[in-house]
Amino acid sequence: MFWFLLIALVVVVAAVTLFVAGGSGAPLPEAVPDRIAWPPPADRAMGRADVEALRLPVALRGYRMTETDDVLDRLGAELAERDARIAELEAALAGALAAAVSGPELLRKPGEGPAEAAPENPEARDGRNGGAGA
């Protein structure tokens, strides 16, 4: 009886194995390479379409760490460059706007200009008019 159960168990395991493995006798289809099929462009910065088209390779326990880390490092570096450039352009724009708003007042020396009018002095006015009163 023991031998009968053991043989039945082996037959069932073999049948399940053949069924799962595709026991039709046909060869298994080619495995899809588990690498990034499309490498990021090396001659230009990655754009939105490049990121959307990116498919990271999968390993047994998640993504392949080295390739995923390489792509994420590159994206991080490019984003840092863009952020620095944006900050530089915003600072230049703020400087240009400040110069445009203040205009020629930046070129005036302290103590001169229309903001500081001469005090009203009747004697000085008489002196300018040749000594004649107003």
Side-chain angles (χ1 to χ4, degrees):
M1 182 67 148
F2 174 74
W3 291 106
F4 176 73
L5 289 177
L6 186 61
I7 292 172
L9 181 64
V10 169
V11 168
V12 169
V13 169
V16 169
T17 303
L18 286 175
F19 177 74
V20 170
S24 63
L28 293 175
E30 285 295 317
V32 178
D34 198 20
R35 300 275 183 245
I36 296 177
W38 169 84
D43 58 339
R44 61 179 171 81
M46 291 180 67
R48 180 180 177 150
D50 297 327
V51 174
E52 288 175 355
L54 181 65
R55 296 296 173 255
L56 298 171
V58 180
L60 182 61
R61 294 176 41 189
Y63 289 100
R64 289 194 181 272
M65 286 200 259
T66 55
E67 293 178 11
T68 303
D69 288 345
D70 290 344
V71 170
L72 291 177
D73 288 343
R74 177 167 175 194
L75 282 172
E78 288 182 12
L79 288 174
E81 287 177 20
R82 288 180 187 174
D83 289 345
R85 181 70 176 145
I86 288 170
E88 176 185 324
L89 292 173
E90 286 177 344
L93 179 63
L97 288 176
V101 168
S102 63
E105 291 157 2
L106 289 177
L107 300 175
R108 289 189 196 132
K109 295 177 184 171
E112 64 180 42
E116 297 181 21
E120 197 60 37
N121 187 351
E123 295 174 10
R125 184 176 43 181
D126 287 340
R128 283 181 292 186
N129 292 336

